[in-house]
Amino acid sequence: MRITDLLDKRSIALNGSPTTKKEALDQMVDLMVRSGKINNKEEYRKQVYLREEESTTGIGQGIAIPHGKCSAVSQPGLAAMVVPNGVEFESLDNAPVHLIFLIAAPNTEDNIHLDVLSKLSVLLMDSDFVSRLTSASSVDEFLQIIDQTDQEKPDLNHQLSSQPKTASGSSFRILAVTSCPTGIAHTYMAAEGLEKAAKSKHCFIKVETRGSGGAKNVLTDQEIKEADCIIIAADAKVPMERFHGKKLIECPVSDGISKADQLVDRALKGDVPIYQAAAGQSSISSPAPSKSAGHRIYMQLMNGVSHMLPFVVGGGILIALAFLIDGFLVDLNSLAPEMRANFGSITPAAATLKQIGNIAFGFMLPVLAGFIAMSIGDRPALALGFVGGMIAANGKSGFLGALAAGFLAGYIIVLLRKTFSRLPQSIEKIAPVLLYPLLGIFFMGIIMIYVIEPPVGALNTALNTALTNMSGTSKILLGIIVAGMMSIDMGGPFNKAAYVFGTASIAAGNYDIMAAVMIGGMVPPCAIALATLLFQNKFTKEERESGPVNFIMGLAFITEGAIPFAASDPLHVLPSCVIGAAVSGALSMAFGCTLMAPHGGIFVFPVVGNGLMYLVSLIAGTVVGAVLLGVLKKPVKA
């Protein structure tokens, strides 16, 4: 495939005149749409802007290479615009942009086009090539210049394999790794920039590129051993453990493009720290220094959520099956009130499934906290996170406590690592296997038990007292409150307080409160499941695949199925779920629905008073919550 195969004459403009970066991006998207390779203009535009939010694609020297990769792209393509008067593009060198190439990449496993797009990125590092393009008098000439240069230059794979260059008499050896989140343009432009800079300083260099097509020109153990300095120009994950004991520079991938000369000069001067891979450190490190603090927190949070999800799904479905079995085999009306509390474990088969499901659920919060911690402090933080998550699960802080424990554990290890970095080397070696777990778990336990748990316990008591005092007031208002509380923290202190109040009401013969409580717990997972079907662009691929499972857990009154979604985007998911649950709770009370069983979801609907309107209440709250999710959540990358 040639570069010109991705270009369409209709998507090339030689006299662009945008006055702002936004205008430039919008005009580029319009050009791309003219090529017929975009099936959803707005979705593609959103992806282009989302990529721009990560870091500017104005690479300097008058060039910008914005790009978008998503399902809205039916075929890989390029659009090009020459801007004779230039446009401000927030470029790395703060200079106006005169040449823009927009990349459209589909979500397919076929990555043939990636090498072509990457080769174009490398060619754009040639100032003569860029000058000829910006001076082209016609679209045909523009295409001819690209095709001729493409034919003269070796293909990217050959270029990478022949990358190591040594000037005569050179003895200084530099190795580098470049990588960017998209892995299409910046990865290879940084490699080209570093190679040129090293060549001008008469030293050897080999660059490993880690793009969308995989790792290429991979550094060998022997080459790493003989290297004088390592340069990591990356905004994505790079295997780091192999560089233990070597002088190493870490920087954003953009520095490899715009500051390559400075990086090589720094390597030659030797004013570079020695990289130390801590014992037990994950072999994958993500320097990503160009990311915002908010983005880093999000990635750390998602590391915990993704590892927690299998426990939620597997355990939740097993518990749902337990309720289903008891629902078919047991007549709740014939049971004494004290036996109804055992619903889901009355028959032997149901008891077995519920036991296994509860064990899986028991791992949920420790795993969440442990892997959040690991993403911050590497493997030594895993144990601290597990301990903190278990304290939260067994105590009163629940889901919110586990979140706090995960971040706390990670930064305890970061602090300990800095503290012990000044110890003698003989003592420093034992820190990861002795001092980190000993002191880290101690501090984690103390903080969780004496700092986090007490205020949550006080909050629980206050909530229970408030609910008890409200029992004589408006039933509809009470339904709104208890149902909404079931969705606020999904297993945390608010949820537990509302649930305890509902079960206590059963003993007192007030069955309407328990009906509102249970429906409030059923709405969040059901609303999320519906939203993943109706608003697919608002959820990640993993969320879309796991979303429908929440119908099962929601109908079985397992609110925890919504936790992974709430954890990844609490500011938008929680309000949507709370409002949807509150609507259902209010309707349940208004219709006079009652419930004598403290659990079971749809499987105990036969014993629900006014069951038809109870179902209507559930559907209404689910729809309201799903619509709010669609409105409030921002589109995500496919």
Side-chain angles (χ1 to χ4, degrees), residues 110-148:
D110 180 8
N111 290 326
I112 297 174
H113 63 283
L114 294 178
D115 283 344
V116 180
L117 296 173
S118 301
K119 184 178 181 181
L120 172 64
S121 304
V122 173
L123 293 180
L124 290 173
M125 300 293 286
D126 185 339
S127 57
D128 179 62
F129 174 64
V130 173
S131 177
R132 286 189 290 144
L133 286 179
T134 53
S135 302
S137 58
S138 68
V139 171
D140 288 335
E141 182 184 351
F142 187 91
L143 290 169
Q144 184 180 0
I145 292 169
I146 294 176
D147 202 42
Q148 180 182 353

Side-chain angles (χ1 to χ4, degrees), residues 300-315:
Q300 292 156 359
L301 183 60
M302 287 308 299
N303 190 55
V305 170
S306 63
H307 284 86
M308 175 185 71
L309 190 60
F311 295 91
V312 177
V313 173

